[in-house]
Amino acid sequence: MIELFEPKIMDEKEVLEMVNEYLTNNSKINGSRGLLKLLPRYDLWLKSLTEKNINNLVDSTYLAKRNNDNKVIGFINIRHELDEEFLLTGGHIGYSVRPSERNKEYATMMLKIALEKCYKLGIEKVLVTCNKSNPASRKVILKNGGIFENEVLEDNGEIVERYFIMKNKY
């Protein structure tokens, strides 16, 4: 099992080790709310989490940890509201699992917990997106009740798939 928790200063070493793993594996970090832009100043990243995001919207960022050994295994971000950009391609939830912990069902568990948090916030129709080139993320969304809405072509040529997960369907 896993749990989501708010990052603290004492998590710095483990978070930086996880970020290094992403970078070493040339893997994109989703759900970290701009951590890479503020590194090496982890303290500034923590401070930024208490402010509205770059689009001036309220969100919550969490670390996911495995309960049996407390290893931090990923990031997840919940956007409490969406602007035009997030409504089109970003969605309510962004997440990623560190490369060494993938294909172990952690992303599915993380999304399930994040959906529960969304429902508690009053978001009953949660938008979750993934790149068409990311079948693993699509599988996670579908396992959590995702209903395909449509595809959107981004300026960079990526195709983004949009899915809704409804509270009453979950």
Side-chain angles (χ1 to χ4, degrees):
M1 290 297 296
I2 63 161
E3 65 181 73
L4 303 183
F5 67 100
E6 294 180 3
K8 306 273 188 275
I9 194 69
M10 64 187 191
D11 304 311
E12 180 176 9
K13 182 178 182 230
E14 192 162 3
V15 169
L16 295 179
E17 287 172 4
M18 181 171 62
V19 167
N20 187 51
E21 184 177 324
Y22 280 100
L23 296 174
T24 300
N25 286 277
N26 198 25
S27 183
K28 189 173 179 182
I29 303 175
N30 292 313
S32 69
R33 195 171 188 251
L35 173 61
L36 287 179
K37 293 177 186 171
L38 295 175
L39 287 181
R41 294 293 309 271
Y42 182 82
D43 61 318
L44 290 181
W45 177 66
L46 286 179
K47 183 180 182 309
S48 77
L49 299 180
T50 64
E51 303 163 353
K52 290 186 174 185
N53 68 21
I54 195 166
N55 294 43
N56 204 31
L57 302 172
V58 175
D59 64 355
S60 301
T61 300
Y62 301 94
L63 298 174
K65 76 174 174 180
R66 189 170 45 215
N67 289 340
N68 66 347
D69 63 0
N70 290 321
K71 182 176 183 174
V72 176
I73 58 168
F75 294 100
I76 195 156
N77 179 267
I78 299 171
R79 298 171 196 99
H80 301 205
E81 53 191 340
L82 302 177
D83 62 5
E84 189 175 315
E85 175 187 345
F86 284 120
L87 183 60
L88 193 59
T89 60
H92 285 101
I93 301 173
Y95 58 91
S96 61
V97 175
R98 71 190 303 163
S100 64
E101 299 299 331
R102 292 182 181 159
N103 300 310
K104 299 178 183 178
E105 299 293 318
Y106 293 130
T108 300
M109 290 184 255
M110 288 167 58
L111 182 55
K112 180 179 180 181
I113 296 167
L115 288 167
E116 292 167 1
K117 290 182 179 293
C118 285
Y119 302 147
K120 287 180 183 175
L121 290 169
I123 306 167
E124 296 189 3
K125 186 177 181 182
V126 180
L127 175 63
V128 185
T129 67
C130 67
N131 287 344
K132 188 170 187 146
S133 61
N134 188 347
S137 190
R138 177 186 312 108
K139 186 176 177 182
V140 167
I141 295 167
L142 292 172
K143 281 184 177 181
N144 277 284
I147 300 167
F148 180 76
E149 176 75 10
N150 63 0
E151 295 178 345
V152 176
L153 180 63
E154 289 188 302
D155 293 339
N156 65 5
E158 283 278 356
I159 297 173
V160 175
E161 297 178 347
R162 300 173 72 245
Y163 295 85
F164 283 101
I165 304 174
M166 319 297 191
K167 181 177 182 180
N168 59 355
K169 299 279 184 185
Y170 179 66

